[in-house]
Amino acid sequence: MAEFSPKFKEALSLVQKPGRYTGGEPGSVYKDKNAVDVRMAFCFPDTYEIGMSFLGEKILYDLLNRHENWWCERAFMPWTDMKVQMERLDIPLYCLESKDPLTAFDIVGFSLEYELCYTNILAMLRLAGIPLRAEDRDEHWPLIIAGGPCVCNAEPMADFFDVMQLGEGEQMLQDICATVEQGKKLHWTKEELLLALAKIPGVYVPSFYDVTYLPDGRVQAITPNRPGIPARVTKAIVKDMDAYEPPKNFVVPIVGAVQDRACVEVLRGCVRGCRFCQAGQIYRPFRERSPQMISDCARELCRNTGYDELSLTSLSTSDHSRLEEILDALNSWAEADHVSLSLPSLRVDNFSQSLVEKTTKVRKSGLTFAAEAGTQRLRDVINKNVTWEQIERGCRIAFSEGYTSVKLYFMMGLPTETMEDIKGIADTAQKVVDLFYQIPDRPKGKGVQVTISVACFVPKPDTPFQFCAQDRRETLREKQKYLLSCVHSRKIKVNYHDSATSVLEGVFAKGDRRLGRVIETAFENGAFFDTWEEYFDYDRWMDAFATCGIDPDFYNYRAMGLEEVTPWSHLDVGVSHAHLVREYQKALKAETTQPCNRQCSACGANKLLGGPCFDYSKNLL
């Protein structure tokens, strides 16, 4: 591990949590930088505690460092106190393992997990002394790349990245590193390197595409400006999850991470087809890991890291066709090793007494059900495929097994929503409270606590609701106020999200390349850590839009035409436009669609596998 310089020691002595910046955690990978051919800085645009909770970084850190001649290191956005000291003492942003500045790396990669982290990316580049815009960087600068779910609409951040990765990174990032290694040895120019990278499945080079606009501001066309560049970039996927073994070791944080536990990804994709859910669409098709691989890797991971809690991670873990088999394999060693199991993405409709028994042998974790909407009509609109009877059954099992608190997730501002649907959120929570006291074998001597958490709905690209306008702030505030007036029990706690941040999220979710100027202007005027309430300044953002002559309402308060060219129309996540239109039209009629493993909805994602996603001759539920 690198020695700390006097300036670095001075900075650490003046900040609140120096452990965020020192490195040296168990599980960190150290190599001789003079003996490797490619160095990559994996940058997470938020604090250490949040970034160290991100499973994607753990997977790719492990995968790249298995190559003897590559070295992947980590960097995070410094908190404000450390940022001030780094600027005062002229300490450039560095990676935790080597303490080398980002300019010493061949590749600097960012994960785009959330739209409101965009200014943090610019802040990290500025702290590193790297020009913000791709056009201002030649081959003497690191290659600046991005991955993550927000790349499905890459355009708002397109001006700042040389390369953007659409889809899953396991093979794509290795191919990028191999190409960079080749380019270094052959002394390629940046143009030559980018042309070679553009041939990799899933790689999008924004500078190789021109965008034209109609007089009314809509996108007219997005076209390649180099020979041989594809008109549409198709996402990269991992066809066989067992082909990539989950990490058997993690970097264990020395400052408590938000999610500080062992995690194993058990499946990828989702069968449910909820019409509001971007992840459920862009991670299609559904693919499972085998129970034995999950158990073996989880056991080794827990023993290597010392974690005593294991989370089975996915969009919908309880939809794994062999979940009981997985839990039996895990319980064959977990109880003896004092490791507790948690299923953070349980579906209320397949919640069972058996699952409770198999996941509470060591300790009980919290219980959360995502009802999403307060009435059956609206649950059908969003294709949640959950009924009150299923919610009641799930809560009845939970209360009978000793649970006294339940969290219920809802959304507000969904398409076709009425005030009756808002009242239904409070009514659902009250029915859960009443249910607790109706159960004879409920925990005695304890009251029940039902927490309802209500997010503001944001229409996202590549979903059936991408065509919808977002609710205005004033409307959302009225609905929030009305919801509070409908809650009459102290047993019910209501949490809801700030509508101002949701507005901005909606703008950048569906925005085009012109918004890069707005992001840069807001950043230059002091915007960063926009995900943190104490630093988010709505007026500063509105001033940036005004300065750039761009109306934010155009992006999120305008319904899109069904045949409109979108800013992401050249980025193919596998789900067809025709499918999204069909699902949108069914939503308006409150018609539901069966989960993928019961009946194929012809979404188009099967083409990424080269065949059917499921064998429908077998009952996979």
Side-chain angles (χ1 to χ4, degrees):
M1 191 169 67
E3 291 291 325
F4 297 153
S5 69
K7 287 197 299 185
F8 189 60
K9 290 179 180 178
E10 180 182 346
L12 292 181
S13 72
L14 296 170
V15 300
Q16 187 176 21
K17 294 183 179 180
R20 289 166 162 165
Y21 314 109
T22 58
E25 310 100 316
S28 300
V29 175
Y30 299 98
K31 298 186 180 184
D32 180 355
K33 60 187 176 185
N34 297 312
V36 297
D37 296 312
V38 175
R39 298 185 69 187
M40 177 175 171
F42 197 120
C43 302
F44 193 86
D46 212 317
T47 62
Y48 176 92
E49 293 93 323
I50 294 175
M52 286 298 290
S53 305
F54 176 45
L55 181 59
E57 181 182 61
K58 300 174 192 291
I59 292 170
L60 296 174
Y61 182 88
D62 174 74
L63 195 61
L64 293 184
N65 281 320
R66 292 180 194 177
H67 294 259
E68 288 186 13
N69 64 325
W70 299 348
W71 188 12
C72 181
E73 303 181 45
R74 298 163 297 129
F76 303 94
M77 176 67 192
W79 189 242
T80 53
D81 54 358
M82 184 62 170
K83 180 176 180 288
V84 167
Q85 298 306 321
M86 292 173 71
E87 291 169 337
R88 181 179 72 85
L89 295 166
D90 195 26
I91 300 172
L93 186 62
Y94 58 90
C95 279
L96 294 181
E97 285 78 1
S98 66
K99 306 301 183 293
D100 285 345
L102 298 193
T103 48
F105 289 76
D106 302 299
I107 303 170
V108 173
F110 290 89
S111 184
L112 275 58
E113 297 295 311
Y114 181 42
E115 291 85 356
L116 292 188
C117 284
Y118 288 171
T119 49
N120 275 12
I121 293 168
L122 302 192
M124 293 175 78
L125 290 173
R126 177 65 53 80
L127 276 172
I130 297 173
L132 301 185
R133 289 182 167 265
E135 64 186 11
D136 297 327
R137 301 188 297 262
D138 60 16
E139 57 268 18
H140 298 99
W141 293 99
L143 185 76
I144 310 300
I145 70 175
C150 290
V151 175
C152 72
N153 179 17
E155 293 307 282
M157 289 296 285
D159 289 338
F160 309 111
F161 288 102
D162 302 309
V163 165
M164 303 183 87
Q165 300 173 242
L166 182 66
E168 297 164 7
E170 283 91 340
Q171 188 58 52
M172 182 169 33
L173 189 53
Q174 291 184 84
D175 291 343
I176 289 172
C177 289
T179 304
V180 168
E181 180 181 349
Q182 183 184 10
K184 286 179 66 178
K185 291 175 179 176
L186 297 177
H187 306 289
W188 285 346
T189 64
K190 183 175 181 179
E191 175 83 1
E192 289 172 327
L193 175 60
L194 292 178
L195 285 168
L197 290 168
K199 297 176 182 177
I200 298 171
V203 166
Y204 171 51
V205 180
S207 62
F208 288 174
Y209 294 79
D210 292 329
V211 186
T212 55
Y213 300 92
L214 295 167
D216 63 4
R218 291 176 297 153
V219 173
Q220 182 180 42
I222 303 172
T223 52
N225 56 31
R226 304 284 198 287
I229 300 301
R232 296 192 80 199
V233 176
T234 301
K235 78 173 182 185
I237 73 160
V238 173
K239 292 184 179 181
D240 178 5
M241 290 294 288
D242 280 353
Y244 291 89
E245 196 174 63
K248 295 180 179 178
N249 205 353
F250 282 173
V251 181
V252 180
I254 55 177
V255 175
V258 175
Q259 304 288 341
D260 194 9
R261 59 180 70 96
C263 300
V264 174
E265 187 184 22
V266 299
L267 61 86
R268 197 167 289 177
C270 184
V271 299
R272 296 291 175 162
C274 298
R275 292 171 181 141
F276 59 85
C277 180
Q278 186 183 57
Q281 304 290 336
I282 67 174
Y283 289 113
R284 290 185 177 205
F286 183 84
R287 292 144 290 154
E288 298 179 339
R289 271 204 173 99
S290 65
Q292 197 59 53
M293 175 174 279
I294 293 167
S295 178
D296 291 347
C297 292
R299 185 176 194 176
E300 197 162 341
L301 176 62
C302 290
R303 291 182 174 179
N304 286 337
T305 59
Y307 279 120
D308 61 0
E309 183 179 357
L310 172 66
S311 177
L312 302 184
T313 306
S314 77
L315 291 176
S316 186
T317 298
S318 55
D319 281 325
H320 196 294
S321 63
R322 300 165 69 187
L323 180 59
E324 297 278 354
E325 190 179 336
I326 293 169
L327 294 175
D328 289 340
L330 292 170
N331 279 318
S332 69
W333 56 266
E335 189 173 3
D337 287 7
H338 305 288
V339 172
S340 65
L341 307 179
S342 67
L343 304 179
S345 49
L346 276 176
R347 290 274 308 195
V348 67
D349 56 332
N350 51 22
F351 181 71
S352 67
Q353 187 171 356
S354 173
L355 287 185
V356 174
E357 292 171 353
K358 291 179 179 180
T359 57
T360 57
K361 290 181 179 292
V362 176
R363 70 175 72 92
K364 278 189 173 73
S365 57
L367 199 59
T368 302
F369 294 133
E372 309 296 2
T375 63
Q376 192 59 50
R377 183 200 68 83
L378 194 54
R379 285 194 290 271
D380 290 345
V381 167
I382 65 176
N383 204 47
K384 187 62 185 175
N385 280 319
V386 167
T387 64
W388 162 249
E389 288 72 25
Q390 290 167 330
I391 297 171
E392 180 184 34
R393 175 182 163 276
C395 291
R396 187 179 295 276
I397 292 170
F399 295 147
S400 298
E401 291 294 321
Y403 286 90
T404 58
S405 64
V406 173
K407 292 181 182 179
L408 299 173
Y409 282 156
F410 295 92
M411 281 185 293
M412 181 179 288
L414 290 162
T416 78
E417 184 178 75
T418 67
M419 285 301 188
E420 187 63 29
D421 298 308
I422 299 299
K423 182 175 182 294
I425 295 173
D427 292 344
T428 300
Q430 185 60 55
K431 286 196 283 187
V432 172
V433 170
D434 295 342
L435 176 67
F436 177 83
Y437 292 104
Q438 294 167 9
I439 296 176
D441 53 350
R442 69 179 185 272
K444 297 300 188 287
K446 293 184 178 180
V448 66
Q449 181 67 55
V450 176
T451 301
I452 53 179
S453 181
V454 188
C456 298
F457 168 68
V458 177
K460 293 284 180 129
D462 298 308
T463 70
F465 289 159
Q466 69 178 22
F467 308 106
C468 301
Q470 187 175 6
D471 261 9
R472 290 186 175 271
R473 285 184 74 191
E474 301 77 21
T475 304
L476 290 169
R477 285 172 174 168
E478 289 175 12
K479 290 178 177 179
Q480 289 168 346
K481 185 177 179 181
Y482 180 64
L483 173 62
L484 292 174
S485 73
C486 293
V487 174
H488 306 296
S489 170
R490 293 183 179 179
K491 306 291 185 183
I492 300 172
K493 180 182 178 182
V494 181
N495 298 323
Y496 55 82
H497 293 184
D498 177 26
S499 58
T501 56
S502 298
V503 168
L504 205 62
E505 182 184 345
V507 171
F508 290 120
K510 292 168 66 174
D512 54 48
R513 198 173 291 196
R514 293 172 294 190
L515 294 184
R517 289 190 296 120
V518 177
I519 295 167
E520 187 173 5
T521 301
F523 165 68
E524 297 292 3
N525 291 338
F528 66 98
F529 276 129
D530 290 299
T531 57
W532 295 76
E533 185 178 347
E534 59 265 48
Y535 291 103
F536 178 74
D537 187 335
Y538 183 78
D539 291 336
R540 177 162 50 206
W541 278 100
M542 293 304 106
D543 289 344
F545 280 106
T547 299
C548 296
I550 291 176
D551 179 9
D553 293 4
F554 173 79
Y555 297 100
N556 61 336
Y557 293 154
R558 178 181 67 88
M560 301 184 76
L562 297 184
E563 299 306 320
E564 182 175 330
V565 176
T566 66
W568 54 92
S569 60
H570 59 308
L571 303 174
D572 180 7
V573 299
V575 177
S576 71
H577 177 77
H579 171 75
L580 298 180
V581 171
R582 281 197 307 271
E583 285 296 301
Y584 170 68
Q585 292 171 336
K586 290 180 73 174
L588 296 181
K589 294 183 283 188
E591 295 177 358
T592 60
T593 297
Q594 286 288 306
C596 302
N597 53 354
R598 293 181 189 164
Q599 182 179 337
C600 179
S601 61
C603 74
N606 65 311
K607 71 177 183 289
L608 299 170
L609 295 176
C613 302
F614 294 96
D615 180 356
Y616 293 103
S617 65
K618 298 178 181 178
N619 180 14
L620 293 178
L621 283 185

